[in-house]
Amino acid sequence: MLGPVLAQVWRPRPSLVHALAGVLKECVVPQARSSEPPMRETKAGHPACPACATGPDLTDWRRVGTMLGQAALPVKKRPDAVDAWVALAAARHGSAVIFTGDPDDLLAYLAVLRPQEVHVVPV
């Protein structure tokens, strides 16, 4: 089974939000009326995902800085800290899918991290 799905949508159109909400029923889609909260409780009362439950530490900040400095971004693109954080969040989960309008940027950041099972899907 594939792990978490991250949908990176900066300028969501209602049709795109609706389409993602239909496809990703088990995931959180911001601005969808039926969205679940990002943290789901387990029967024990602990967050279901340890990667989501912990905030960034010094190592994470260093990884983001490394990605910003080493990523081979497409021509005319500048380093983007948000894209780097999305790549890091996907890598921390181990197996994830990222839906994004900037697939080349995300792939450049992921190339620095070299995670095992992170897939990028352009939207």
Side-chain angles (χ1 to χ4, degrees):
M1 180 175 157
L2 198 54
V5 176
L6 302 169
Q8 181 195 24
V9 182
W10 291 113
R11 293 176 264 331
R13 297 180 311 277
S15 60
L16 178 60
V17 171
H18 178 72
L20 287 174
V23 173
L24 308 174
K25 294 214 183 275
E26 298 293 321
C27 301
V28 174
V29 180
Q31 298 183 3
R33 285 186 200 141
S34 61
S35 286
E36 294 293 326
M39 295 298 295
R40 294 177 185 88
E41 295 290 326
T42 64
K43 291 181 182 179
H46 298 287
C49 177
C52 290
T54 59
D57 60 10
L58 186 58
T59 304
D60 291 334
W61 286 105
R62 287 181 178 151
R63 286 181 183 140
V64 168
T66 299
M67 283 188 288
L68 292 172
Q70 293 181 1
L73 295 171
V75 178
K76 295 187 179 181
K77 289 282 191 165
R78 291 187 291 173
D80 184 348
V82 174
D83 285 347
W85 277 109
V86 169
L88 180 61
R92 287 181 71 188
H93 282 94
S95 176
V97 178
I98 303 171
F99 289 86
T100 180
D102 295 327
D104 296 331
D105 295 3
L106 269 291
L107 289 170
Y109 293 122
L110 289 169
V112 175
L113 291 175
R114 291 181 250 147
Q116 293 293 324
E117 288 282 326
V118 176
H119 306 278
V120 177
V121 178
V123 291

